[in-house]
């Protein structure tokens, strides 16, 4: 079983597996992984399948991740379709994919990059034209490219697209399993660390019985982050007592620090009714609008 590792603790040369069911969590982990590669001067390629190239670019840009200039040395980050992994062939073939990545690594080093970092959306393996055996061969054969620590990768597996046997195999053949740090999780609520921008992400229903879990998560964000980003995009219900925890945390921030809350309009209304307008350090970004 692969060891579970927070994305910010992955080292150069790691080959990690991400299995996910929450697209926002997957995006956050991917953005943090890309940002780390940019800070290390690596060439970065995001192979995307379930999400379109333009959509993924826009989502990364929303989190402050840009494809940086092609001037002179090539782009630091490229977002491309997953089918480019098999070099234009009609179907994925493991040997071709491994050879392509070996070539990309060689060219990155020739351009003076410190290494190559890739994210690979593995949903291609669930497509009708794919041979499931090629996925198994690819994950096994690509391992040799990680030997010198110059290639770092996350292979992304959507739990909705793969059966438990394939997901179990993916976990076994990767040295690491990357995951968000979870503060609280039960049948109705999940609270976890958000990496880019840094803060806390909450999904589900947040009532008064779970307000303490939110308080603890926000307390860590106050210790770790200059500004606190609270992502409530996937929060369906916010109890007034839990809203007070948010407002109290924002009100007690030191001068010049702020809390940015991203939410839908029903959650915004609850925060306004709880007194959000009286907290200068609080800023709310509302889906389909901004306050």
């Amino acid at each position: 079983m692969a060891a579970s590792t927070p994305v910010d603790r992955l080292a150069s040369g790691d080959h990690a597996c991400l299995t996910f069911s929450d697209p926002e969590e997957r995006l956050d982990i991917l953005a943090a992984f890309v940002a780390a590669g940019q800070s290390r001067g690596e060439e970065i390629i995001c192979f995307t399948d379930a999400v379109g190239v333009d959509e993924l670019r826009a989502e990364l840009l929303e989190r402050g991740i840009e494809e940086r200039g092609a001037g002179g040395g090539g782009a630091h980050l490229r977002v491309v379709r997953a089918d480019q992994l098999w070099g234009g062939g009609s179907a994925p073939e493991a040997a071709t994919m491994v050879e392509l990545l070996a070539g990309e690594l060689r060219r990155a080093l020739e351009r003076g990059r410190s290494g190559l970092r890739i994210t690979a959306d593995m949903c291609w393996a669930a497509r009708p034209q794919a041979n499931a055996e090629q996925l198994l061969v690819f994950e096994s054969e690509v391992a040799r490219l990680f030997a010198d620590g110059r290639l770092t990768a996350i292979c992304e597996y959507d739990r909705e697209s793969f059966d438990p046997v394939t997901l179990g195999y993916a976990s076994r053949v990767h040295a690491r399993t990357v995951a968000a740090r979870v503060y609280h999780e039960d049948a109705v609520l999940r609270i976890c660390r958000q990496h880019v921008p840094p803060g806390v992400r909450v999904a589900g229903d947040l009532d008064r019985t779970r307000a303490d879990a939110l308080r603890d998560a926000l307390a860590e964000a106050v210790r770790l982050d200059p500004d606190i980003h609270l992502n409530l995009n996937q929060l369906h219900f916010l109890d007034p007592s839990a809203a007070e925890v948010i407002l109290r945390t924002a009100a007690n921030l030191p001068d010049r620090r702020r809390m940015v809350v991203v939410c839908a309009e029903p959650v915004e209304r609850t925060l306004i009714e709880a007194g959000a307008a009286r907290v200068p350090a609080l800023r709310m970004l509302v889906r389909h609008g901004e306050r």
Side-chain angles (χ1 to χ4, degrees):
M1 177 70 68
S4 181
T5 307
V7 66
D8 53 1
R9 294 186 186 174
L10 287 178
S12 295
D14 277 342
H15 182 202
C17 172
L18 167 63
T19 60
F20 68 93
S21 54
D22 180 346
E24 277 218 23
E25 185 168 312
R26 171 244 183 196
L27 175 62
D28 179 52
I29 288 173
L30 189 152
F33 183 73
V34 169
Q38 289 183 328
S39 70
R40 295 173 186 177
E42 296 172 329
E43 188 81 9
I44 305 158
I45 310 173
C46 295
F47 294 97
T48 185
D49 186 85
V51 178
V53 168
D54 290 340
E55 182 182 350
L56 182 54
R57 281 192 186 118
E59 288 177 337
L60 289 172
L61 186 59
E62 238 178 65
R63 292 175 180 254
I65 307 294
E66 299 183 33
E67 288 185 289
R68 287 192 274 183
H76 287 279
L77 167 64
R78 282 180 282 154
V79 180
V80 301
R81 295 193 318 272
D83 60 13
Q84 292 195 26
L85 258 175
W86 53 91
S90 59
E93 203 263 329
T96 300
M97 292 187 282
V98 173
E99 184 180 345
L100 183 144
L101 289 179
E104 291 285 1
L105 174 58
R106 184 179 63 254
R107 286 186 290 275
L109 298 177
E110 289 170 353
R111 286 193 288 265
R113 306 296 187 213
S114 62
L116 174 67
R117 177 169 293 234
I118 68 165
T119 69
D121 179 353
M122 307 305 286
C123 280
W124 58 264
R127 302 289 185 231
Q129 76 270 28
N131 180 340
E133 183 179 313
Q134 292 300 315
L135 172 63
L136 309 185
V137 174
F138 170 76
E139 289 288 25
S140 176
E141 291 298 314
V142 78
R144 63 182 172 82
L145 298 182
F146 294 87
D148 67 356
R150 300 294 189 95
L151 175 64
T152 309
I154 290 179
C155 297
E156 309 158 38
Y157 287 83
D158 187 343
R159 293 190 189 100
E160 298 297 317
S161 300
F162 292 95
D163 61 84
V165 173
T166 303
L167 293 174
Y169 174 83
S171 179
R172 289 194 301 275
V173 298
H174 291 82
R176 303 260 185 231
T177 296
V178 67
R181 176 174 178 182
V182 177
Y183 299 109
H184 175 92
E185 185 169 27
D186 59 26
V188 299
L189 179 70
R190 179 178 171 88
I191 304 175
C192 65
R193 176 77 175 154
Q194 177 171 283
H195 295 279
V196 183
V200 175
R201 192 162 49 80
V202 185
D205 297 334
L206 181 53
D207 62 21
R208 62 182 180 81
T209 66
R210 295 169 175 82
D212 285 347
L214 177 64
R215 182 181 297 109
D216 293 343
L218 288 175
E220 177 166 283
V222 170
R223 291 195 300 272
L224 295 178
D225 308 323
D227 291 327
I228 294 86
H229 294 264
L230 180 58
N231 184 343
L232 305 182
N233 259 337
Q234 301 301 314
L235 188 66
H236 307 126
F237 169 76
L238 177 64
D239 184 87
S241 59
E244 289 178 8
V245 169
I246 296 171
L247 300 186
R248 195 176 306 119
T249 302
N252 290 331
L253 288 173
D255 289 346
R256 297 182 182 160
R257 293 178 68 186
R258 63 179 182 173
M259 177 185 290
V260 179
V261 177
V262 182
C263 62
E265 290 178 358
V267 171
E268 179 206 23
R269 285 196 295 270
T270 302
L271 289 168
I272 289 173
E273 289 167 4
R278 299 191 298 272
V279 183
L282 181 70
R283 181 186 179 196
M284 287 192 287
L285 301 178
V286 183
R287 274 190 315 211
H288 310 304
E290 178 173 333
R291 301 285 189 277

